[in-house]
Amino acid sequence: MPDHERTPADHRGSPLAALAALLADPTRAAFCSALLDGRAWTAGELARVAGVAPSTASEHLSRLIAGALLTEERQGRHRYVRLASPAVATLIEDLTVFAETTGGPTAEATAGGSAAGTGRPAPRSLREATRQSAEARARTCYDHLAGRLGVAVADALLDRGLVTDRAGLAVTDRGHAWLSAQAIELPPRSGRPGGRPVVRSCLDWTERRSHLGGALGAALCRAALDRAWVERIGSGRALRVTPEGGRALRELLGVELP
């Protein structure tokens, strides 16, 4: 059996090897990448994304669930899967950025060139080019804002002293007051042992600069979606800033998007 097809049990002596084996398969990697939008997907939806048969998708999903990278929920006949935790999302994000910024091209990129030097395959159709352009403007990165929108929000929070990076990223007292004034709440366990970091830097693969993740990034993204400041474009990760959202971003943070 090829190394990349072994189950986690075949790598009991090396948890790192077991994890690497789970992510080494292109189909499983495609599933994890799609699930970075933070939503639950059905096996059929993921099969279509990866271009594999439903039976093949089911086998790969079972491996990812057994390896604790995904979790599943069942509603009637439907099986939904999502990334198991924010920690898993952070791992996938970091690995994706590392792969796309260190010159490790995919087979597709090697054959067809990369998009703007990112290491990602160059778009092969107008539809794909449109999607990539939309994602570069604004998208979700698991459960926080990314693309030019995410970077602009991060810059505004830092410029206004709501977040500081003097001794590592942290929300300032002014930032907590601002969040309270906007009725944006952070999870009670964020920043505590075993909890999610309050705020973390996440390198944006399109902007090559950082946007903000962690509990703060998730809270801001959730507020933007709940208040219709942004809306999803289709079923992917791309977002569109609404007219109301544009006004809110200008008034609250001084963010002006092209």
Side-chain angles (χ1 to χ4, degrees):
M1 178 186 300
D3 286 345
H4 70 275
E5 286 300 324
R6 294 180 182 175
T7 63
D10 296 316
H11 295 282
R12 287 174 183 166
S14 175
L16 178 59
L19 176 63
L22 278 173
L23 295 174
D25 180 87
T27 298
R28 294 195 287 273
F31 289 171
C32 290
S33 179
L35 290 166
L36 273 178
D37 71 353
R39 292 178 291 180
W41 290 53
T42 67
E45 289 169 338
L46 289 170
R48 287 191 291 274
V49 165
V52 297
S55 58
T56 300
S58 181
E59 178 183 350
H60 284 298
L61 289 173
S62 294
R63 290 174 182 248
L64 291 167
I65 292 167
L69 291 180
L70 303 186
T71 185
E72 69 174 330
E73 305 169 10
R74 291 187 179 272
Q75 294 185 6
R77 296 183 297 105
H78 297 290
R79 178 195 196 190
Y80 294 89
V81 296
R82 63 171 73 243
L83 295 180
S85 68
V88 172
T90 297
L91 171 67
I92 302 301
E93 290 169 6
D94 290 346
L95 288 174
T96 300
V97 170
F98 180 82
E100 292 173 346
T101 58
T102 56
T106 63
E108 286 183 303
T110 301
S114 62
T118 63
R120 296 172 65 85
R124 297 182 178 181
S125 65
L126 177 59
R127 180 179 181 181
E128 188 173 352
T130 300
R131 177 184 60 78
Q132 288 189 10
S133 177
E135 289 183 350
R137 286 194 300 273
R139 67 183 183 279
T140 53
C141 184
Y142 186 52
D143 60 359
H144 51 272
L145 300 171
R148 289 196 292 275
L149 172 61
V151 170
V153 168
D155 286 347
L157 292 171
L158 286 162
D159 291 344
R160 292 180 172 231
L162 306 180
V163 172
T164 180
D165 59 358
R166 291 178 182 173
L169 283 173
V171 180
T172 64
D173 290 342
R174 181 186 299 179
H176 282 292
W178 182 86
L179 290 170
S180 179
Q182 309 312 319
I184 298 175
E185 297 183 357
L186 299 178
R189 286 193 54 80
S190 59
R192 299 180 183 178
R196 191 175 189 183
V198 174
V199 58
R200 64 179 293 273
S201 176
C202 184
L203 182 63
D204 196 289
W205 59 260
T206 53
E207 295 299 294
R208 302 302 178 92
R209 298 179 56 214
S210 294
H211 56 252
L212 299 180
L216 173 63
L220 291 171
C221 183
R222 184 169 58 252
L225 287 165
D226 290 347
R227 299 172 189 184
W229 294 348
V230 296
E231 57 188 14
R232 295 188 184 275
I233 300 175
S235 61
R237 296 166 61 184
L239 299 172
R240 178 189 297 110
V241 178
T242 65
E244 180 182 353
R247 288 191 294 271
L249 289 169
R250 284 192 299 273
E251 293 171 3
L252 297 175
L253 292 172
V255 170
E256 292 279 359
L257 294 173

